């Protein structure tokens, strides 16, 4: 059997597959216990698991968890730990890398970028059929490209990350800073409160700058948009389609397809693909 997990900032979703069919779905809160402890609990209940595939909302390198902003890490060397103690194979990959693998299968493309706007601003890139990982597996950290100075700090410690303008957490931070009450994009757009419209407009500009940068740098055939902020604000898609030519190089836009994700939980689906067999 194969255990597939999506370890996100707030919850862990898990599915158990037998002969390619999902037989059980489980949920847990990310902060309640460590990821390894959670997996051990599942193993104790469902014995015959041979492979564990994990989509992880943090940085990972060759089976080792490097950083995790919101998840309790009880074992950094998670792959080694389960191999030694249980003889189980663990495959773990960054959540946006998993998401783009699932999107690549969906769109049958090896040149595809997935940008997810949720709490953070995340990117996964498949170029020529290969994941773009970088020398130490921390490439494509879109949210942390320099943009302009904000009056508060990013999770990474700097104050000029684009994620401080174009993400769900950015909307929360700016709403708190200007005492706006709501941090919903739609409410900010139509609000009469001082600075509300400005926060909305800054969000749009930063998001377009991020997407234009992705298209210009990676020249994908398909750009997939996902994440809570995109899903909850359908009007964003039209704004992006209309304005992206002002933010991306013309030749990179030729033949580019921009779509919204249709996959319910792409990181979980992508984690399944880390070991694409029917155990
Ligand atoms: Zn940052």
């Amino acid at each position: 059997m194969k255990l597939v997990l999506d370890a996100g900032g707030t919850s862990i979703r898990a599915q158990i597959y037998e002969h390619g069919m999902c037989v059980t779905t489980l949920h847990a809160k990310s902060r309640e216990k460590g990821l390894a402890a959670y997996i051990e609990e599942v193993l104790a209940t469902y014995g015959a698991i041979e492979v564990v595939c994990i989509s992880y909302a943090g940085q990972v390198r060759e089976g080792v968890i490097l950083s995790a902003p919101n998840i309790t890490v009880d074992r950094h060397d998670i792959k080694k730990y389960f191999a030694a103690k249980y003889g189980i194979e663990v495959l773990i990959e960054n959540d946006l890398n998993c998401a783009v693998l699932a999107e690549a299968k969906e769109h049958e493309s090896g040149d595809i970028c997935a940008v997810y706007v949720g709490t953070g601003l995340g990117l996964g890139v498949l170029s020529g059929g290969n994941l773009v990982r970088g020398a130490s597996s921390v490439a494509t950290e879109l949210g942390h490209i320099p943009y302009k100075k904000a009056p508060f700090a990013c999770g990474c410690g700097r104050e000029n990350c684009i994620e401080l303008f174009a993400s769900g957490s950015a909307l929360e931070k700016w709403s708190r800073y200007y005492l706006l009450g709501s941090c919903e994009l739609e409410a900010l757009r139509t609000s009469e409160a001082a600075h509300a419209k400005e926060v909305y407009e800054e969000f749009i500009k930063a998001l377009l700058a991020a997407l234009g940068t992705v298209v210009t740098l990676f020249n994908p055939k398909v750009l997939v948009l996902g994440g809570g902020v995109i899903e909850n604000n359908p009007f964003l898609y039209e704004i992006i389609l209309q304005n992206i030519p002002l933010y991306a190089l013309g030749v990179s836009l030729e033949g580019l397809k921009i779509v919204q994700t249709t996959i319910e939980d792409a990181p979980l689906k992508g984690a399944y693909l880390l070991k694409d067999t029917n155990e």
Side-chain angles (χ1 to χ4, degrees):
M1 291 198 289
K2 175 153 85 172
L3 170 62
V4 183
L5 296 123
D6 174 17
T10 51
S11 69
I12 301 174
R13 288 194 62 198
Q15 291 180 332
I16 296 173
Y17 284 83
E18 198 170 8
H19 307 300
M21 298 276 291
C22 178
V23 291
T24 308
T25 300
L26 306 161
H27 282 275
K29 290 237 174 7
S30 301
R31 285 177 189 277
E32 272 172 13
K33 63 173 56 119
L35 180 61
Y38 177 72
I39 294 170
E40 288 189 300
E41 213 177 84
V42 177
L43 292 180
T45 316
Y46 306 89
I49 288 165
E50 292 128 4
V51 179
V52 180
C53 298
I54 308 166
S55 160
Y56 191 76
Q59 295 169 337
V60 293
R61 181 197 303 153
E62 290 164 15
V64 178
I65 295 169
L66 302 177
S67 75
N70 300 304
I71 305 170
T72 308
V73 182
D74 48 356
R75 300 272 170 196
H76 281 274
D77 57 347
I78 193 157
K79 185 182 177 74
K80 222 162 141 188
Y81 175 74
F82 281 97
K85 191 167 174 187
Y86 298 93
I88 289 174
E89 185 183 8
V90 171
L91 296 110
I92 181 165
E93 186 62 79
N94 168 269
D95 57 346
L96 262 298
N97 285 354
C98 287
V100 80
L101 287 176
E103 299 290 1
K105 190 173 183 197
E106 177 79 13
H107 296 279
E108 297 177 344
S109 175
D111 288 288
I112 181 164
C113 293
V115 174
Y116 276 43
V117 192
T119 309
L121 178 63
L123 166 68
V125 178
L126 206 68
S127 185
N130 295 311
L131 277 175
V132 174
R133 283 199 175 87
S136 40
S137 298
V138 292
T140 72
E141 284 288 349
L142 178 65
H144 305 283
I145 59 173
Y147 183 61
K148 62 180 177 182
K149 200 172 180 315
F152 32 71
C154 178
C156 75
R158 290 186 300 130
E159 292 171 347
N160 63 346
C161 295
I162 201 160
E163 191 169 287
L164 293 171
F165 296 86
S167 67
S169 60
L171 293 173
E172 270 175 37
K173 284 175 177 172
W174 283 105
S175 295
R176 221 177 300 132
Y177 182 74
Y178 286 130
L179 306 171
L180 294 173
S182 175
C183 57
E184 296 299 321
L185 210 47
E186 182 73 57
L188 293 170
R189 176 164 79 154
T190 51
S191 170
E192 297 291 315
H195 301 293
K197 191 123 185 154
E198 179 189 323
V199 171
Y200 166 78
E201 280 166 1
E202 287 291 336
F203 173 94
I204 299 292
K205 272 194 264 178
L207 179 60
L208 285 164
L211 295 174
T213 302
V214 167
V215 169
T216 305
L217 286 182
F218 297 106
N219 182 209
K221 196 166 264 177
V222 186
L223 172 64
V224 187
L225 307 169
V229 178
I230 295 283
E231 280 156 30
N232 296 333
N233 299 283
F235 63 89
L236 282 175
Y237 181 62
E238 273 309 311
I239 293 176
I240 291 164
L241 287 189
Q242 277 172 22
N243 294 285
I244 194 85
L246 301 170
Y247 291 82
L249 192 64
V251 285
S252 347
L253 287 166
E254 285 169 18
L256 172 71
K257 203 165 88 175
I258 302 177
V259 296
Q260 287 176 274
T261 186
T262 54
I263 306 177
E264 202 188 310
D265 190 340
L268 193 70
K269 295 247 163 48
Y272 178 87
L273 299 174
L274 294 176
K275 179 97 178 170
D276 202 0
T277 56
N278 290 334
E279 278 115 321

